[in-house]
Amino acid sequence: MVRIIGILIGLFFSGWLLVSFGMGAKEYITNPPVETAEHAFHKEAKDVSFTSDGPLGKFDRQQLQRGFQVYKEVCAACHSLRLVAFRNLEEIGYNEDEVKAIAANWPIQTPDVDPATGEMSTRASVAADKLPKPFANDVAAGAANNNAIPPDLSLITKAREGGAPYIYSLLTGYQAPPADLPKANQPGPGLHYNPYFANLNLAMAPPLAAADMVSYSDGTKASIDQMAKDVSAFLIWSAEPKLEERHQAGWAVLAFLLIATILAYLSYRTIWADVKAEKKKKSAEA
Amino acid sequence: MSFPWAKQYTPTTEFGQWMDKQLPLPRFVYNSVGAGYPAPRNLNYMWNFGSMAGLFLVVQIVTGIILAMHYAANATIAFDSVEHIMRDVNSGWMIRYAHANGASFFFIAIYLHIGRGLFYGSYKAPREMLWLLGVVIYLLAMATAFMGYVLPWGQMSFWGAKVITGLFEAIPFIGKPIQELLLGGFAPDNAALNRFFSLHYLLPFVIVGVVIMHIWALHIPGSNNPTGVDVKGPQDTVPFHPYYTAKDGWTIGLALIFFTILMFFLPNALGHADNYIPANPLSTPAHIVPEWYFWPWYAILRAFTFDFLFIPAKLLGVLAMFSAILVWFFLPWLDKSPVRSGSFRPKFKIFFVILVIDVLILGYCGGAPAEEPFVMISQLAAAYYFAHFLIILPLLSRLEKPEPLPTSITESVTGKPLTTAS
Amino acid sequence: MATVETAETAVAEDGGVRRRDFINIAAVSFAGAGAVATVFPLVNQMNPSADVLALASIEVDISAIETGQSIKTSWRKQPIFIRNLTAEEIAEANAVNVSELRDPQTLAERTTAGKENWLITLGVCTHLGCVPLGAAQGEIKGEFGGYFCPCHGSHYDTAARIRKGPAPTNLEVPLHEFLSDTVVKIG
């Protein structure tokens, strides 16, 4: 009985799937899907490497500080970094006093309640504060940016397929639209053509428009490419500050497990030695 | 219960004897996973995934309890509380990555465990109850994993919750009320997040309960084995401890090595970038996919693109998706071939290989965007999936002529027929 | 039958530790050590997290506290009493014979040199952790004019030293430093 019902249900599901397949295939052949311009003109992220790549990767603190400088002087005007606290900057090589100074002099103040009046107010930031947001909320951010809300950058390299190379490609990928780009995909007013962006047109104007927009204190030449790379490296850190710890711990655990597993395997072999020997003996007899 | 030749637990110390009289817990362990459980001597490495699934269940519960100490199940702060774990809590990143990737390893173990059962006929008499409990564990694990994925309250969490609860909407008449009941609202929000958290905490302990029943049911007939032939005597078995504890032990080490590589060096490889964007009810990610372990079922759900008479395609997809798993409950009665092990079933073997490839294809299509040709491929693959369990297996048990079975496990191991019954 | 017995009997016959036993012992000890090492991060996660530790010190503006007044502020989620002692209160505290105290300390030991009028203590009774009265205006200051804990009747004097009641020690003085005449850093 179970089998008869089963076969009937099976025939129904499989049959209808085959019919659906047939109808879909007919549609596919008679009316093949056309490749969209978003697909045709879209480019995969450039091949760029960072010192933090791979299982042995470590941050280049000098580069992270340069990247932080780019964030601070270029990106921070529109993009928040709300999950990073000033105190975290000690992890990229600033000392306590430098962090205090960075926090106190940050162009945007931390919102707080005025201790005397109880009114909403702002105060200078301290090391324990998270980096203050440039806009109070999404509505304010949208209103100031032509309704395109600048995303928070704290996790951006983990929150985008392609990670840091994608961010780097986006920053360096602005170009004039190709001549054969369909009219519908031409950048409208306030949009900028960038083939690394999923729908090709981006509301963000090229942020790193010219070389030497920042002047690095360590003497590195601030080319557009260098700034894009540095800020991408900084954003790898902001998204995954524990990356170095993770790599180190991983190797230690791996080394331990390798030895433990080899020992466990040898133990397994000795325990089974008798059974295996008996099996061999009997096989030989047979 | 056990085989008559099973070793008896004899406490040697005075404390052991006192304990055995008052609460025979050591005896219970001894008879369950100790020397008192005689297991077939010919189990191959496919029999190691049960203990591996058990290990990762423990990893999930331990790391999960810890995460719950820092996580806040409130829609406004859930996302940030996860980042608080990642950034501020001591070793928090390690515990969270262990939990996120541990789920994947639990499912890897469980799928290989199910696959072994399917090939070696472990679902057949006298082990039907063992199999049914296993399917229950799988269903509970699916529910737990789904609700766990909602907790970080990222974009995939939110839209996953929306899509999966949206499935219930397909039920005629009562669908919409059921969806609202599940969510406690019209879209996922605080109410849904809080109840998912509560259930996500509860269900693993229910799983532990069913696992205990699963092991209990295993000990009544004893383990199946690669030949599928019943244990005939003491020469066919070895005590579980130390033989299989040692074997499980070193493969657990191996599993942990793979786990370490994934967790420390590629912790987000199996996740989805969109889940690092906080949930936004006003913007859908371009490409919603569940976690990889749900992809085959997701492909079946999406394979139904045309209404059948008065049944809408959406409802058909939902019915098919649930049927694809529920069919396992009927498997012991669909496949009536008296031979358990696929090794001795020449035609079954071929169809089994096709099924494995078929499920892999379904998985690939389930993870791909809902575009052609993936929909067409998943239609063919889903058709085979249902045909395999509901048409091929019932008919095969009548049409196939199995190869001769070895008379005993010992014969299959040594190649020598049993001479005396000693 | 032989299969089952061999491993066991072989071990039993041989008294000493042989190579095979050594490997088994090594494998089990290694697994045990791994398990113990795993426990460390699983327990350590309960320690204060980085954001909590970051709040370990605060800076308080004390310019508005007039002589004889005191304020309550919060440090590490615990109350802090900052009291601007009057000359009489200081004299009262210094008049006490220190050797007779339960927890012998002079006022000078509990304040910063040159700023003896600023008494900064944790507002946590050393008995069972209640918040003593006496910091806010109009609150009972106890028999010794300092603080009084209503939970079990501990009386503290004007140097916040325990004088009567069950509390074992004086109110704790947190590490503090005057950054200027009007700003004190606690922690």
Side-chain angles (χ1 to χ4, degrees), chain B residues 129-333:
Chain B
M129 182 52 82
L130 176 59
W131 169 261
L132 297 181
L133 289 168
V135 180
V136 170
I137 293 171
Y138 178 66
L139 288 172
L140 288 169
M142 285 178 84
T144 311
F146 159 66
M147 288 189 277
Y149 198 57
V150 175
L151 301 185
W153 210 240
Q155 274 288 65
M156 269 312 160
S157 302
F158 180 89
W159 292 96
K162 188 144 185 169
V163 168
I164 298 298
T165 53
L167 297 180
F168 291 90
E169 208 191 356
I171 304 167
F173 311 116
I174 52 165
K176 193 88 186 153
I178 286 183
Q179 189 197 0
E180 285 169 12
L181 176 85
L182 290 173
L183 289 175
F186 308 100
D189 199 4
N190 236 347
L193 180 61
N194 245 311
R195 67 189 59 177
F196 281 10
F197 177 57
S198 167
L199 293 173
H200 182 72
Y201 204 119
L202 166 73
L203 284 185
F205 298 97
V206 179
I207 292 179
V208 169
V210 184
V211 165
I212 289 170
M213 288 198 280
H214 187 67
I215 296 172
W216 186 3
L218 167 74
H219 280 69
I220 291 167
S223 300
N224 186 26
N225 69 82
T227 66
V229 175
D230 284 329
V231 167
K232 299 250 162 53
Q235 71 284 352
D236 288 343
T237 65
V238 290
F240 190 85
H241 177 76
Y243 289 96
Y244 285 111
T245 42
K247 197 176 178 183
D248 282 347
W250 93 263
T251 50
I252 278 176
L254 205 58
L256 286 176
I257 287 176
F258 288 116
F259 181 55
T260 303
I261 292 172
L262 196 69
M263 175 188 144
F264 286 96
F265 300 121
L266 298 160
N268 295 308
L270 296 176
H272 201 288
D274 280 288
N275 226 26
Y276 280 109
I277 305 172
N280 179 356
L282 302 181
S283 145
T284 313
H287 174 200
I288 302 178
V289 278
E291 290 276 83
W292 68 268
Y293 35 79
F294 294 143
W295 285 354
W297 316 127
Y298 197 56
I300 291 176
L301 174 76
R302 293 194 302 193
F304 287 84
T305 48
F306 290 95
D307 299 350
F308 180 80
L309 304 177
F310 55 91
I311 312 175
K314 181 178 172 183
L315 178 59
L316 271 179
V318 173
L319 286 175
M321 186 178 74
F322 286 113
S323 309
I325 303 162
L326 296 181
V327 68
W328 293 352
F329 278 117
F330 300 93
L331 190 56
W333 298 277

Side-chain angles (χ1 to χ4, degrees), chain A residues 2-28 33 39 54-56 82-85 87-88 91 130 138 154-162 237-243 245-251 253-254 257-269 271-276 278-280 282-286, chain B residues 40-43 45 79-80 83 86-89 91 93-94 96-97 235 238 242-244 246-247 249-254 256-258 260-261 263-268 271-274 276-278 300 303-309 311 316 319-320 323 330 333-336 372-373 375-380 382-388 390-391 394-395 397-398 410 413-417:
Chain A
V2 173
R3 269 167 291 169
I4 294 168
I5 297 171
I7 289 174
L8 288 176
I9 295 174
L11 282 172
F12 168 69
F13 276 140
S14 299
W16 191 242
L17 280 163
L18 291 176
V19 171
S20 306
F21 167 76
M23 293 196 276
K26 193 178 150 217
E27 172 75 15
Y28 188 70
H39 195 259
L56 289 168
R82 64 185 188 91
L83 297 171
V84 175
R87 63 184 158 84
N88 295 132
E91 296 161 31
K130 297 269 169 76
D138 277 358
S154 329
L155 283 166
I156 202 80
T157 53
K158 286 204 299 198
R160 294 290 182 275
E161 295 288 348
W237 170 80
S238 75
E240 185 82 3
K242 307 287 181 193
L243 180 135
E245 254 179 77
R246 175 157 66 75
H247 286 172
Q248 278 166 11
W251 285 110
V253 173
L254 210 52
L257 278 176
L258 272 175
I259 300 170
T261 305
I262 289 169
L263 277 175
Y265 178 72
L266 292 175
S267 164
Y268 155 70
R269 291 297 300 248
I271 286 169
W272 278 78
D274 298 319
V275 179
K276 301 250 161 154
E278 189 213 11
K279 172 182 160 183
K280 231 181 231 163
K282 286 218 179 153
S283 306
E285 283 170 15
Chain B
R41 56 186 289 191
N42 62 335
L43 301 185
Y45 278 109
F79 186 91
D80 289 6
E83 279 306 314
M86 294 294 287
R87 288 158 193 270
D88 290 332
V89 173
S91 319
W93 59 270
M94 195 193 290
R96 181 185 171 231
Y97 277 150
Q235 71 284 352
V238 290
Y243 289 96
Y244 285 111
K247 197 176 178 183
W250 93 263
T251 50
I252 278 176
L254 205 58
L256 286 176
I257 287 176
F258 288 116
T260 303
I261 292 172
M263 175 188 144
F264 286 96
F265 300 121
L266 298 160
N268 295 308
H272 201 288
D274 280 288
Y276 280 109
I277 305 172
I300 291 176
F304 287 84
T305 48
F306 290 95
D307 299 350
F308 180 80
L309 304 177
I311 312 175
L316 271 179
L319 286 175
S323 309
F330 300 93
W333 298 277
L334 288 168
D335 177 10
K336 290 303 279 186
E372 297 297 1
V375 176
M376 289 194 293
I377 296 170
S378 51
Q379 282 165 340
L380 288 181
Y384 178 78
Y385 181 89
F386 286 108
H388 179 90
L390 291 167
I391 304 171
L395 295 180
S397 44
R398 294 188 170 224
T410 305
V413 173
T414 61
K416 186 186 159 200

Side-chain angles (χ1 to χ4, degrees), chain A residues 45-58:
Chain A
K46 294 178 193 174
D47 192 17
V48 55
S49 64
F50 296 92
T51 56
S52 53
D53 292 347
L56 289 168
K58 276 185 179 338

Side-chain angles (χ1 to χ4, degrees), chain C residues 72-91:
Chain C
K72 280 189 206 180
T73 180
S74 136
W75 173 66
R76 291 183 174 171
K77 300 277 162 186
Q78 300 188 91
I80 288 280
F81 295 159
I82 302 177
R83 187 157 173 166
N84 191 350
L85 297 173
T86 60
E88 301 87 72
E89 283 172 332
I90 295 172

